[in-house]
Amino acid sequence: MKEEKSDVRPESLSGEESPGDRFEISRRGFLKGLGGTAVAAAVFPKAAVSQEGTLRGVSVGSVTLRVNGQTHVIPRVEARTTLLDVLRNRLDLTGAKPICERASCGGCTVLLDGKAVYSCSILAMDAEGREITTVEGLASNGRLHPVQEAFVEHDALQCGFCTPGFVVAAVAFLQENPNPTLEEVKQGVSGNLCRCGTYTRIFEAVLAAAEKMRKGA
Amino acid sequence: MAVIPWKPPAQMDYITKDNPRLDGPAKVTGRAKYAYDAIASKCLVGRMITCPYPNAKAVRIDTSEAEKLPGVKAILVEEGKVCRLAGEFVGAVAAVSADIADDAVRLIRIEWERYPFVTREEDAVQPNAPQVHAGNERPNVRVNDPDGEGDVEAAFQQADAIYEGTLSTQVQTHTCLEPHGTTAVWDENLEHLTVWASTQAVFGVRNDLAEFFGLEPHQVEVITEYMGGGFGSKLGGGYIERMAARLAREARQPVKLLLTREQEQTNSGNRPSARARVRAGATKDGKLIAFEAETSGTGGFAGGSGFPLPYIYSVPNWRRQHTDVYINAGNARAMRAPGHPQGSFIMEAVMDELAYRLGMDPIEFRIQNDPNETRRRQFRELAKRLDWDRLWKPGPDEGFPLKRGMGVGAAVWGGGGHGSNAEVEIHPDGSVVVRCGTQDIGTGTRTVVGVVAAEQTGLSPEAITVQIGHSTYPQSGSSGGSTTCAGVAPAVKVATDNALWELFLKVAPVLEASPEELEAADGTVRVKGDPSRALSWKEACAVLGQESVVGRGRNDRSLSSSGTAGVCGVDLEVDVETGRIHLRRIVSIQECGLVVNKLTTESQMIGGVIQGISYALFEDRIMDRMLGHQINPNLEFYKLAGPADMPEIVPIVWMEPESLARGVIGMGEPPVIPVAAAIGNAVRNAIGVRVNSLPITPRKVLAALGTEV
């Protein structure tokens, strides 16, 4: 574990990539999270051994991502690595949050070609060639996006952990529906969860942002 | 200097008003850095190793395969540890990426000695049940001493109406969206440890780590600028912080360690269950005179399932006995108003059932039996806001398939201030810095600090630089029991007043006045009653020359109180064909003394109502009794209320002059208390039959209707 010279992934040693690097998608990577822990019988043995196995993804390569208008070449990314992981842990864009790990809560929402997606459930390599916008990319020239402004004004946040996801989801929603009703807003942000309990404030903020945007703010 | 009282609310510019959060822009742009974000790309990723069995001992742990895995930098294991729940931690790894850390965990081979286990309360109390604490000879059942007063049996003889029933509540997990976690960094000589902690207790974590590593407190720096929800589960400084720091020491590199969602759901605390067999009696003039309850609950493997009964109502004759039941599941921790929502759900059901039996209006019946005068007035206000007198009927509603119903509940809480210190610096350039080691757990504490300093200096909250969430700042208490606001706001006020006094000493000669005659208001320093003798704030501060002034302060009890009242009312419809509940409107009324920031206070109330809805209708920790695992340790099947479930929510901050005059009182917790009770009562009112247990799912509604017809 000290010596990395024997790494089966040579790219991770040198940090250099050959242009022809190709991914080999790891089954392990896809299956992880689906479980695999040895299941105990109802009448269980007194002794047991737990160890999940030895398979793992081994393919790595560089990924080129276009994020918030900038192009990043990110070396040594595993095929199984999610977009969320790369944004946070390679690019330090920590606005998108790891919360449920599996597309249930929307805390990791980013825009992919303008459409809201859960970045925890998209592989980094699959985001190549797409225009990625994170919450950090919404404000322009130091000015908050009208949705962000409205969230602050209406106190549509408490701890703030779900907030980036809601803000991005709301931006995408208002692009599709610039003049929504309250009911449509409720449905429009239903891909996201909050634990502090800010939903009704969020509805107010999204409605107010819609009005601001219609007026060209 | 003697502590100066708060100025009259009518003269306040910021306190009692709506002030947007000072950290709102940081939170909506993603700039706010949480524990796991601090140095995201510049550290190793830690992962906990967990026990897959509900009652087992890790006899041997073989890490050799994991150690060979490239990219793994540290492994710590606890061979010999006994685990009382599936999901207990037995060690941790650190690796260069999350994926490799996960791989390492999978490669660790553990030999387990397994013991029989039990995950249902009804099984755990059986005479031959498997022992939760196998080998320790600790029984699964702990019977508490009985409590009560008066002559219960005699009182029941006098009762004109008696209700008997069994009511219960489920285990609710905190489900913080930010799982428990920490980033830990050591200096080269291992003499200084910095941790970014997701905690409700900056100083608690510091002290715990200092003690654990044999360091002096100043050698450990804890930073909590932002944290993603705690609700009571992040009060302890503990295992996760220590583990992250140990991994970082072992690897000689920074480490961030965040629980996975599954770990967060199974092993980071919960609100224990509650069950009560109750019997209660009242006289026809509307007096509750007799109450008895056999209660129980489970706090998992660790007990702690107590809850208050007969809760807020006066009853001269009562008896209650509580039993803690142990099971092989995650342990209880303080959760937003510990015990109270359970007690409220049970007691408010009793109150309604007695009112129905007496043919009385449930609100009137409560007013007759509630000893708290504020709450009695709140009940009347609630009736008005709900249009109760016009809309409420004894039920069941005639409508089909939608039946409308209304219900109420009430809460009590302390909310007195904890010990807190603060320090205010006024600089010659006019900038003002407030430092307080408190943490903002989402309640808006950072903004409270700014608002108080702004009120005292006559500047705007945005003009104040607020520095919180750091163990090098003046000591402040942990955020538990809604004690933060009433601790921090007075400390900041006193510190600001003291800094101003230092400033006035310097400025007085320039204004040809004595320092006692000066005040800071409207962006000036001026002579009281003579605004023509004034300097702008900047001019006044410039008088300081090169020397900043500093004021220190601590919480003074004359500026705060304890003991708050709140009520909640629900208007809903039940679809008797599907069993679904459609919430129409929820009104929440809460007293909190001198309201520091009305906007964020209302947000806390809305949050309490929403968490209450979630508790009432959706949340439930479900255990697999055959395997001993939690079946739903995730956000798909552990259901939180979502946006589409929301009714109209009306938060009303109780701002009667008598309440404002009480000084600051914390209120983060109480708004959650009566919500499930009020929803339960509204469902009963709509359909004429009670769903006796939480959560009130469509299936239970249909079953309840079935029993009645």
Side-chain angles (χ1 to χ4, degrees), chain A residues 1 46 48 50 80 88-89 92 97 155 158-159 186 195 199, chain B residues 21 27 34 37 41 67 103 112 114 256 603 619 641 646:
Chain A
M1 67 191 262
K46 289 273 184 293
S50 60
R80 61 178 169 172
R88 292 180 51 83
N89 297 326
D92 280 300
K97 303 298 184 204
D155 204 39
Q158 287 182 36
C159 81
K186 284 187 185 182
R195 183 46 155 167
Y199 299 130
Chain B
R21 260 167 231 263
K27 286 179 176 175
Y34 295 75
D37 304 336
S41 70
E67 283 169 33
D103 285 346
W112 299 95
R114 297 187 58 199
K256 57 178 176 178
S603 290
E619 295 182 42
M646 291 300 109

PDB file of all heavy atoms in Angstrom, chain A residues 1 46 48 50 80 88-89 92 97 155 158-159 186 195 199, chain B residues 21 27 34 37 41 67 103 112 114 256 603 619 641 646:
ATOM      1  N   MET A   1       0.819  -1.213   0.000  1.00  0.00           N
ATOM      2  CA  MET A   1       0.000   0.000   0.000  1.00  0.00           C
ATOM      3  C   MET A   1       0.846   1.253   0.000  1.00  0.00           C
ATOM      4  O   MET A   1       0.383   2.331  -0.314  1.00  0.00           O
ATOM      5  CB  MET A   1      -0.949   0.000   1.186  1.00  0.00           C
ATOM      6  CG  MET A   1      -0.289   0.110   2.544  1.00  0.00           C
ATOM      7  SD  MET A   1      -1.461  -0.203   3.853  1.00  0.00           S
ATOM      8  CE  MET A   1      -1.894   1.444   4.328  1.00  0.00           C
ATOM      9  N   LYS A  46     -23.120 -19.803  13.622  1.00  0.00           N
ATOM     10  CA  LYS A  46     -22.552 -19.024  14.723  1.00  0.00           C
ATOM     11  C   LYS A  46     -21.332 -18.229  14.265  1.00  0.00           C
ATOM     12  O   LYS A  46     -21.029 -17.179  14.800  1.00  0.00           O
ATOM     13  CB  LYS A  46     -22.132 -19.953  15.866  1.00  0.00           C
ATOM     14  CG  LYS A  46     -23.316 -20.562  16.609  1.00  0.00           C
ATOM     15  CD  LYS A  46     -23.788 -19.631  17.723  1.00  0.00           C
ATOM     16  CE  LYS A  46     -24.907 -20.245  18.540  1.00  0.00           C
ATOM     17  NZ  LYS A  46     -26.162 -20.422  17.789  1.00  0.00           N
ATOM     18  N   ALA A  48     -19.165 -16.575  10.925  1.00  0.00           N
ATOM     19  CA  ALA A  48     -19.366 -16.125   9.552  1.00  0.00           C
ATOM     20  C   ALA A  48     -18.171 -15.296   9.136  1.00  0.00           C
ATOM     21  O   ALA A  48     -17.426 -14.795   9.979  1.00  0.00           O
ATOM     22  CB  ALA A  48     -20.639 -15.305   9.449  1.00  0.00           C
ATOM     23  N   SER A  50     -17.132 -12.131   6.476  1.00  0.00           N
ATOM     24  CA  SER A  50     -17.621 -11.161   5.497  1.00  0.00           C
ATOM     25  C   SER A  50     -16.456 -10.601   4.708  1.00  0.00           C
ATOM     26  O   SER A  50     -15.423 -10.232   5.250  1.00  0.00           O
ATOM     27  CB  SER A  50     -18.389 -10.039   6.197  1.00  0.00           C
ATOM     28  OG  SER A  50     -17.556  -9.366   7.104  1.00  0.00           O
ATOM     29  N   ARG A  80     -15.597   4.108 -13.935  1.00  0.00           N
ATOM     30  CA  ARG A  80     -16.760   4.040 -13.058  1.00  0.00           C
ATOM     31  C   ARG A  80     -17.003   5.345 -12.294  1.00  0.00           C
ATOM     32  O   ARG A  80     -17.964   5.448 -11.532  1.00  0.00           O
ATOM     33  CB  ARG A  80     -16.571   2.911 -12.050  1.00  0.00           C
ATOM     34  CG  ARG A  80     -15.344   3.128 -11.177  1.00  0.00           C
ATOM     35  CD  ARG A  80     -15.168   2.038 -10.143  1.00  0.00           C
ATOM     36  NE  ARG A  80     -13.871   2.114  -9.490  1.00  0.00           N
ATOM     37  CZ  ARG A  80     -13.519   1.376  -8.454  1.00  0.00           C
ATOM     38  NH1 ARG A  80     -14.364   0.495  -7.962  1.00  0.00           N
ATOM     39  NH2 ARG A  80     -12.321   1.497  -7.920  1.00  0.00           N
ATOM     40  N   ARG A  88     -16.509  17.488  -7.814  1.00  0.00           N
ATOM     41  CA  ARG A  88     -16.166  17.831  -6.431  1.00  0.00           C
ATOM     42  C   ARG A  88     -14.708  17.575  -6.106  1.00  0.00           C
ATOM     43  O   ARG A  88     -14.030  18.424  -5.542  1.00  0.00           O
ATOM     44  CB  ARG A  88     -17.049  17.028  -5.459  1.00  0.00           C
ATOM     45  CG  ARG A  88     -18.514  17.416  -5.469  1.00  0.00           C
ATOM     46  CD  ARG A  88     -19.290  16.553  -4.472  1.00  0.00           C
ATOM     47  NE  ARG A  88     -18.625  16.569  -3.180  1.00  0.00           N
ATOM     48  CZ  ARG A  88     -18.783  17.522  -2.272  1.00  0.00           C
ATOM     49  NH1 ARG A  88     -19.618  18.509  -2.488  1.00  0.00           N
ATOM     50  NH2 ARG A  88     -18.119  17.463  -1.136  1.00  0.00           N
ATOM     51  N   ASN A  89     -14.246  16.373  -6.470  1.00  0.00           N
ATOM     52  CA  ASN A  89     -12.965  15.931  -5.945  1.00  0.00           C
ATOM     53  C   ASN A  89     -11.790  16.160  -6.880  1.00  0.00           C
ATOM     54  O   ASN A  89     -10.644  15.993  -6.489  1.00  0.00           O
ATOM     55  CB  ASN A  89     -13.055  14.454  -5.542  1.00  0.00           C
ATOM     56  CG  ASN A  89     -14.057  14.252  -4.415  1.00  0.00           C
ATOM     57  OD1 ASN A  89     -14.196  15.115  -3.555  1.00  0.00           O
ATOM     58  ND2 ASN A  89     -14.769  13.148  -4.444  1.00  0.00           N
ATOM     59  N   ASP A  92     -12.774  20.708  -7.580  1.00  0.00           N
ATOM     60  CA  ASP A  92     -13.121  21.513  -6.403  1.00  0.00           C
ATOM     61  C   ASP A  92     -14.414  22.308  -6.580  1.00  0.00           C
ATOM     62  O   ASP A  92     -14.603  23.342  -5.931  1.00  0.00           O
ATOM     63  CB  ASP A  92     -11.985  22.456  -6.003  1.00  0.00           C
ATOM     64  CG  ASP A  92     -10.907  21.726  -5.214  1.00  0.00           C
ATOM     65  OD1 ASP A  92     -11.246  21.178  -4.149  1.00  0.00           O
ATOM     66  OD2 ASP A  92      -9.748  21.671  -5.679  1.00  0.00           O
ATOM     67  N   LYS A  97     -23.839  18.425  -4.146  1.00  0.00           N
ATOM     68  CA  LYS A  97     -23.564  17.677  -2.915  1.00  0.00           C
ATOM     69  C   LYS A  97     -23.806  16.179  -3.074  1.00  0.00           C
ATOM     70  O   LYS A  97     -24.758  15.766  -3.739  1.00  0.00           O
ATOM     71  CB  LYS A  97     -24.475  18.186  -1.780  1.00  0.00           C
ATOM     72  CG  LYS A  97     -24.359  19.674  -1.480  1.00  0.00           C
ATOM     73  CD  LYS A  97     -22.980  20.073  -1.018  1.00  0.00           C
ATOM     74  CE  LYS A  97     -22.924  21.541  -0.633  1.00  0.00           C
ATOM     75  NZ  LYS A  97     -21.572  22.082  -0.726  1.00  0.00           N
ATOM     76  N   ASP A 155     -35.774  33.673   1.839  1.00  0.00           N
ATOM     77  CA  ASP A 155     -35.233  32.740   2.817  1.00  0.00           C
ATOM     78  C   ASP A 155     -35.606  31.295   2.475  1.00  0.00           C
ATOM     79  O   ASP A 155     -36.082  30.540   3.323  1.00  0.00           O
ATOM     80  CB  ASP A 155     -35.713  33.077   4.242  1.00  0.00           C
ATOM     81  CG  ASP A 155     -34.742  32.522   5.286  1.00  0.00           C
ATOM     82  OD1 ASP A 155     -33.529  32.591   5.048  1.00  0.00           O
ATOM     83  OD2 ASP A 155     -35.203  32.017   6.327  1.00  0.00           O
ATOM     84  N   GLN A 158     -32.223  26.818   4.595  1.00  0.00           N
ATOM     85  CA  GLN A 158     -31.838  26.846   6.003  1.00  0.00           C
ATOM     86  C   GLN A 158     -30.393  26.382   6.113  1.00  0.00           C
ATOM     87  O   GLN A 158     -29.487  27.196   5.981  1.00  0.00           O
ATOM     88  CB  GLN A 158     -32.818  26.029   6.844  1.00  0.00           C
ATOM     89  CG  GLN A 158     -34.168  26.758   6.980  1.00  0.00           C
ATOM     90  CD  GLN A 158     -35.176  26.032   7.829  1.00  0.00           C
ATOM     91  OE1 GLN A 158     -34.843  25.390   8.813  1.00  0.00           O
ATOM     92  NE2 GLN A 158     -36.450  26.111   7.463  1.00  0.00           N
ATOM     93  N   CYS A 159     -30.169  25.072   6.299  1.00  0.00           N
ATOM     94  CA  CYS A 159     -28.763  24.649   6.400  1.00  0.00           C
ATOM     95  C   CYS A 159     -28.033  24.882   5.089  1.00  0.00           C
ATOM     96  O   CYS A 159     -26.820  25.030   5.067  1.00  0.00           O
ATOM     97  CB  CYS A 159     -28.645  23.206   6.868  1.00  0.00           C
ATOM     98  SG  CYS A 159     -28.879  21.961   5.597  1.00  0.00           S
ATOM     99  N   LYS A 186     -44.500  23.157  -7.678  1.00  0.00           N
ATOM    100  CA  LYS A 186     -44.370  22.011  -6.764  1.00  0.00           C
ATOM    101  C   LYS A 186     -43.909  20.770  -7.521  1.00  0.00           C
ATOM    102  O   LYS A 186     -43.020  20.056  -7.071  1.00  0.00           O
ATOM    103  CB  LYS A 186     -45.722  21.696  -6.105  1.00  0.00           C
ATOM    104  CG  LYS A 186     -46.121  22.647  -5.004  1.00  0.00           C
ATOM    105  CD  LYS A 186     -47.392  22.132  -4.327  1.00  0.00           C
ATOM    106  CE  LYS A 186     -47.895  23.112  -3.289  1.00  0.00           C
ATOM    107  NZ  LYS A 186     -49.090  22.611  -2.588  1.00  0.00           N
ATOM    108  N   ARG A 195     -34.387  18.564   4.048  1.00  0.00           N
ATOM    109  CA  ARG A 195     -34.704  18.014   5.357  1.00  0.00           C
ATOM    110  C   ARG A 195     -35.073  19.104   6.369  1.00  0.00           C
ATOM    111  O   ARG A 195     -35.876  18.872   7.266  1.00  0.00           O
ATOM    112  CB  ARG A 195     -33.522  17.199   5.877  1.00  0.00           C
ATOM    113  CG  ARG A 195     -33.761  16.512   7.216  1.00  0.00           C
ATOM    114  CD  ARG A 195     -35.098  15.800   7.282  1.00  0.00           C
ATOM    115  NE  ARG A 195     -35.109  14.704   8.238  1.00  0.00           N
ATOM    116  CZ  ARG A 195     -36.224  14.099   8.640  1.00  0.00           C
ATOM    117  NH1 ARG A 195     -37.399  14.479   8.160  1.00  0.00           N
ATOM    118  NH2 ARG A 195     -36.200  13.107   9.495  1.00  0.00           N
ATOM    119  N   TYR A 199     -39.603  23.890   1.733  1.00  0.00           N
ATOM    120  CA  TYR A 199     -40.311  23.801   0.446  1.00  0.00           C
ATOM    121  C   TYR A 199     -41.193  25.006   0.137  1.00  0.00           C
ATOM    122  O   TYR A 199     -41.162  25.543  -0.963  1.00  0.00           O
ATOM    123  CB  TYR A 199     -41.174  22.541   0.389  1.00  0.00           C
ATOM    124  CG  TYR A 199     -40.430  21.241   0.507  1.00  0.00           C
ATOM    125  CD1 TYR A 199     -40.839  20.273   1.414  1.00  0.00           C
ATOM    126  CD2 TYR A 199     -39.324  20.957  -0.298  1.00  0.00           C
ATOM    127  CE1 TYR A 199     -40.179  19.055   1.514  1.00  0.00           C
ATOM    128  CE2 TYR A 199     -38.661  19.740  -0.196  1.00  0.00           C
ATOM    129  CZ  TYR A 199     -39.087  18.796   0.714  1.00  0.00           C
ATOM    130  OH  TYR A 199     -38.442  17.600   0.822  1.00  0.00           O
TER     131      TYR A 199
ATOM    132  N   ARG B  21     -30.859  36.184   5.390  1.00  0.00           N
ATOM    133  CA  ARG B  21     -29.654  35.535   5.901  1.00  0.00           C
ATOM    134  C   ARG B  21     -28.392  36.151   5.330  1.00  0.00           C
ATOM    135  O   ARG B  21     -28.279  36.335   4.116  1.00  0.00           O
ATOM    136  CB  ARG B  21     -29.655  34.066   5.468  1.00  0.00           C
ATOM    137  CG  ARG B  21     -30.089  33.122   6.509  1.00  0.00           C
ATOM    138  CD  ARG B  21     -30.358  31.778   5.863  1.00  0.00           C
ATOM    139  NE  ARG B  21     -31.673  31.357   6.276  1.00  0.00           N
ATOM    140  CZ  ARG B  21     -31.887  30.528   7.293  1.00  0.00           C
ATOM    141  NH1 ARG B  21     -30.874  29.992   7.924  1.00  0.00           N
ATOM    142  NH2 ARG B  21     -33.115  30.233   7.659  1.00  0.00           N
ATOM    143  N   LYS B  27     -24.610  30.425   0.192  1.00  0.00           N
ATOM    144  CA  LYS B  27     -25.293  29.126   0.082  1.00  0.00           C
ATOM    145  C   LYS B  27     -25.931  28.916  -1.283  1.00  0.00           C
ATOM    146  O   LYS B  27     -25.957  27.794  -1.784  1.00  0.00           O
ATOM    147  CB  LYS B  27     -26.334  28.986   1.195  1.00  0.00           C
ATOM    148  CG  LYS B  27     -25.704  28.732   2.571  1.00  0.00           C
ATOM    149  CD  LYS B  27     -26.748  28.624   3.676  1.00  0.00           C
ATOM    150  CE  LYS B  27     -26.082  28.266   5.011  1.00  0.00           C
ATOM    151  NZ  LYS B  27     -27.047  28.265   6.126  1.00  0.00           N
ATOM    152  N   TYR B  34     -18.790  23.213   3.225  1.00  0.00           N
ATOM    153  CA  TYR B  34     -19.156  22.327   4.333  1.00  0.00           C
ATOM    154  C   TYR B  34     -17.955  21.434   4.662  1.00  0.00           C
ATOM    155  O   TYR B  34     -16.928  21.491   3.977  1.00  0.00           O
ATOM    156  CB  TYR B  34     -20.390  21.507   3.937  1.00  0.00           C
ATOM    157  CG  TYR B  34     -21.613  22.379   3.740  1.00  0.00           C
ATOM    158  CD1 TYR B  34     -21.744  23.181   2.597  1.00  0.00           C
ATOM    159  CD2 TYR B  34     -22.614  22.461   4.696  1.00  0.00           C
ATOM    160  CE1 TYR B  34     -22.830  24.005   2.419  1.00  0.00           C
ATOM    161  CE2 TYR B  34     -23.720  23.276   4.527  1.00  0.00           C
ATOM    162  CZ  TYR B  34     -23.823  24.055   3.387  1.00  0.00           C
ATOM    163  OH  TYR B  34     -24.905  24.883   3.221  1.00  0.00           O
ATOM    164  N   ASP B  37     -16.273  19.679   1.975  1.00  0.00           N
ATOM    165  CA  ASP B  37     -15.904  20.493   0.816  1.00  0.00           C
ATOM    166  C   ASP B  37     -14.594  21.242   1.022  1.00  0.00           C
ATOM    167  O   ASP B  37     -14.017  21.772   0.072  1.00  0.00           O
ATOM    168  CB  ASP B  37     -16.979  21.573   0.547  1.00  0.00           C
ATOM    169  CG  ASP B  37     -18.366  20.996   0.366  1.00  0.00           C
ATOM    170  OD1 ASP B  37     -18.466  19.814  -0.003  1.00  0.00           O
ATOM    171  OD2 ASP B  37     -19.350  21.740   0.595  1.00  0.00           O
ATOM    172  N   SER B  41     -10.284  18.439  -3.163  1.00  0.00           N
ATOM    173  CA  SER B  41      -9.424  17.680  -4.076  1.00  0.00           C
ATOM    174  C   SER B  41      -8.061  17.400  -3.458  1.00  0.00           C
ATOM    175  O   SER B  41      -7.249  16.695  -4.045  1.00  0.00           O
ATOM    176  CB  SER B  41      -9.239  18.458  -5.379  1.00  0.00           C
ATOM    177  OG  SER B  41      -8.434  19.605  -5.138  1.00  0.00           O
ATOM    178  N   GLU B  67      -4.582  -3.863   1.920  1.00  0.00           N
ATOM    179  CA  GLU B  67      -3.324  -3.111   1.995  1.00  0.00           C
ATOM    180  C   GLU B  67      -2.563  -3.143   0.677  1.00  0.00           C
ATOM    181  O   GLU B  67      -1.850  -2.208   0.334  1.00  0.00           O
ATOM    182  CB  GLU B  67      -2.437  -3.681   3.106  1.00  0.00           C
ATOM    183  CG  GLU B  67      -2.886  -3.252   4.485  1.00  0.00           C
ATOM    184  CD  GLU B  67      -2.185  -4.022   5.591  1.00  0.00           C
ATOM    185  OE1 GLU B  67      -1.004  -4.381   5.396  1.00  0.00           O
ATOM    186  OE2 GLU B  67      -2.832  -4.274   6.619  1.00  0.00           O
ATOM    187  N   ASP B 103     -13.396  -0.068  -2.641  1.00  0.00           N
ATOM    188  CA  ASP B 103     -12.759  -1.343  -2.996  1.00  0.00           C
ATOM    189  C   ASP B 103     -12.032  -1.918  -1.783  1.00  0.00           C
ATOM    190  O   ASP B 103     -12.117  -3.116  -1.501  1.00  0.00           O
ATOM    191  CB  ASP B 103     -11.728  -1.130  -4.120  1.00  0.00           C
ATOM    192  CG  ASP B 103     -12.398  -0.918  -5.471  1.00  0.00           C
ATOM    193  OD1 ASP B 103     -13.608  -1.191  -5.579  1.00  0.00           O
ATOM    194  OD2 ASP B 103     -11.699  -0.481  -6.410  1.00  0.00           O
ATOM    195  N   TRP B 112     -16.465 -13.321  11.937  1.00  0.00           N
ATOM    196  CA  TRP B 112     -17.424 -12.868  12.938  1.00  0.00           C
ATOM    197  C   TRP B 112     -17.886 -14.011  13.818  1.00  0.00           C
ATOM    198  O   TRP B 112     -18.123 -15.113  13.335  1.00  0.00           O
ATOM    199  CB  TRP B 112     -18.670 -12.273  12.262  1.00  0.00           C
ATOM    200  CG  TRP B 112     -18.387 -11.081  11.414  1.00  0.00           C
ATOM    201  CD1 TRP B 112     -18.163 -11.061  10.070  1.00  0.00           C
ATOM    202  CD2 TRP B 112     -18.299  -9.726  11.860  1.00  0.00           C
ATOM    203  NE1 TRP B 112     -17.937  -9.782   9.637  1.00  0.00           N
ATOM    204  CE2 TRP B 112     -18.017  -8.944  10.715  1.00  0.00           C
ATOM    205  CE3 TRP B 112     -18.429  -9.110  13.112  1.00  0.00           C
ATOM    206  CZ2 TRP B 112     -17.862  -7.558  10.796  1.00  0.00           C
ATOM    207  CZ3 TRP B 112     -18.278  -7.733  13.188  1.00  0.00           C
ATOM    208  CH2 TRP B 112     -18.001  -6.975  12.039  1.00  0.00           C
ATOM    209  N   ARG B 114     -21.094 -14.795  15.726  1.00  0.00           N
ATOM    210  CA  ARG B 114     -22.447 -14.227  15.678  1.00  0.00           C
ATOM    211  C   ARG B 114     -23.283 -14.642  16.875  1.00  0.00           C
ATOM    212  O   ARG B 114     -23.165 -15.756  17.375  1.00  0.00           O
ATOM    213  CB  ARG B 114     -23.129 -14.635  14.375  1.00  0.00           C
ATOM    214  CG  ARG B 114     -22.410 -14.092  13.145  1.00  0.00           C
ATOM    215  CD  ARG B 114     -23.191 -14.356  11.907  1.00  0.00           C
ATOM    216  NE  ARG B 114     -24.518 -13.760  12.012  1.00  0.00           N
ATOM    217  CZ  ARG B 114     -25.545 -14.118  11.264  1.00  0.00           C
ATOM    218  NH1 ARG B 114     -25.414 -15.064  10.370  1.00  0.00           N
ATOM    219  NH2 ARG B 114     -26.722 -13.533  11.412  1.00  0.00           N
ATOM    220  N   LYS B 256     -10.673  13.161   4.409  1.00  0.00           N
ATOM    221  CA  LYS B 256     -12.076  13.509   4.678  1.00  0.00           C
ATOM    222  C   LYS B 256     -12.857  12.209   4.771  1.00  0.00           C
ATOM    223  O   LYS B 256     -12.639  11.275   4.002  1.00  0.00           O
ATOM    224  CB  LYS B 256     -12.642  14.414   3.585  1.00  0.00           C
ATOM    225  CG  LYS B 256     -12.569  13.869   2.192  1.00  0.00           C
ATOM    226  CD  LYS B 256     -13.198  14.837   1.213  1.00  0.00           C
ATOM    227  CE  LYS B 256     -13.024  14.335  -0.204  1.00  0.00           C
ATOM    228  NZ  LYS B 256     -13.658  15.205  -1.186  1.00  0.00           N
ATOM    229  N   SER B 603     -39.117  30.774   9.174  1.00  0.00           N
ATOM    230  CA  SER B 603     -38.564  29.636   8.425  1.00  0.00           C
ATOM    231  C   SER B 603     -38.405  28.413   9.326  1.00  0.00           C
ATOM    232  O   SER B 603     -38.657  27.284   8.914  1.00  0.00           O
ATOM    233  CB  SER B 603     -37.210  29.995   7.808  1.00  0.00           C
ATOM    234  OG  SER B 603     -37.384  30.922   6.760  1.00  0.00           O
ATOM    235  N   GLU B 619     -42.462   8.927   7.374  1.00  0.00           N
ATOM    236  CA  GLU B 619     -41.197   8.343   7.823  1.00  0.00           C
ATOM    237  C   GLU B 619     -41.400   7.115   8.707  1.00  0.00           C
ATOM    238  O   GLU B 619     -42.308   7.082   9.529  1.00  0.00           O
ATOM    239  CB  GLU B 619     -40.393   9.395   8.603  1.00  0.00           C
ATOM    240  CG  GLU B 619     -39.976  10.555   7.730  1.00  0.00           C
ATOM    241  CD  GLU B 619     -39.151  11.567   8.490  1.00  0.00           C
ATOM    242  OE1 GLU B 619     -38.289  11.161   9.271  1.00  0.00           O
ATOM    243  OE2 GLU B 619     -39.389  12.776   8.299  1.00  0.00           O
ATOM    244  N   ALA B 641     -41.134  13.769   3.367  1.00  0.00           N
ATOM    245  CA  ALA B 641     -42.112  14.584   2.647  1.00  0.00           C
ATOM    246  C   ALA B 641     -41.378  15.353   1.554  1.00  0.00           C
ATOM    247  O   ALA B 641     -40.272  15.842   1.751  1.00  0.00           O
ATOM    248  CB  ALA B 641     -42.788  15.553   3.608  1.00  0.00           C
ATOM    249  N   MET B 646     -46.815  19.322  -0.012  1.00  0.00           N
ATOM    250  CA  MET B 646     -46.952  20.505   0.834  1.00  0.00           C
ATOM    251  C   MET B 646     -48.328  21.166   0.765  1.00  0.00           C
ATOM    252  O   MET B 646     -48.852  21.423  -0.314  1.00  0.00           O
ATOM    253  CB  MET B 646     -45.898  21.559   0.438  1.00  0.00           C
ATOM    254  CG  MET B 646     -44.491  21.146   0.789  1.00  0.00           C
ATOM    255  SD  MET B 646     -44.274  20.866   2.560  1.00  0.00           S
ATOM    256  CE  MET B 646     -44.104  19.078   2.600  1.00  0.00           C
TER     257      MET B 646
END
